[in-house]
């Protein structure tokens, strides 16, 4: 099952995001094939203010564990993280 992690940064925490970015990217890379895609949301100023991460997990609890172990989450960057089951129906490279 795929899960979308919809993460919103706390206001005025851009520096924390920048300081933690390398560890965050290393963590995402360590997920291997469980990570389907990821990237930041951008504000009107074109600066990152959140993240969209789509992962494969066995269930919601496993998805929550992956989300909680992200260095951004551990650093306290996010004001909220919404985890929702997601169906990749269009342009899914696994559905050739």
């Amino acid at each position: 099952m795929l899960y979308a992690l919809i993460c919103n940064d706390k206001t005025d925490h851009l520096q924390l995001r920048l300081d933690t970015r390398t560890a965050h990217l290393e963590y995402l890379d360590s997920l291997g094939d469980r990570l389907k895609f990821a990237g930041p949301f951008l504000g009107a100023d074109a600066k990152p203010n959140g993240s969209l991460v789509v992962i494969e997990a066995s269930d919601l609890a496993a998805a929550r564990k992956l989300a909680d172990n992200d260095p951004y989450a551990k650093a306290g960057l996010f004001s909220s993280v919404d985890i929702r089951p997601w169906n990749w129906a269009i342009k899914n490279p696994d559905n050739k």
Side-chain angles (χ1 to χ4, degrees), residues 32-87:
D33 290 341
R34 292 179 291 175
L35 174 67
K36 298 306 177 184
F37 60 85
F41 290 114
L42 303 176
D45 58 3
K47 293 181 181 172
N49 64 6
S51 298
L52 171 62
V53 179
V54 175
I55 57 171
E56 185 171 11
S58 57
D59 56 30
L60 184 58
R64 170 62 61 192
K65 185 175 180 181
L66 290 172
D68 290 346
N69 284 322
D70 186 317
Y72 279 168
K74 288 183 173 186
L77 175 63
F78 300 133
S79 62
S80 66
V81 177
D82 186 22
I83 301 175
R84 300 172 61 182
W86 187 69
N87 181 24

Side-chain angles (χ1 to χ4, degrees), residues 3 9 17 20 25-26 28-29 34 38 40 45 59 66 76 92:
Y3 292 89
D9 292 3
R17 172 179 276 274
T20 315
L25 294 177
E26 289 171 354
L28 291 181
D29 189 50
R34 292 179 291 175
D45 58 3
D59 56 30
L66 290 172
N92 181 340

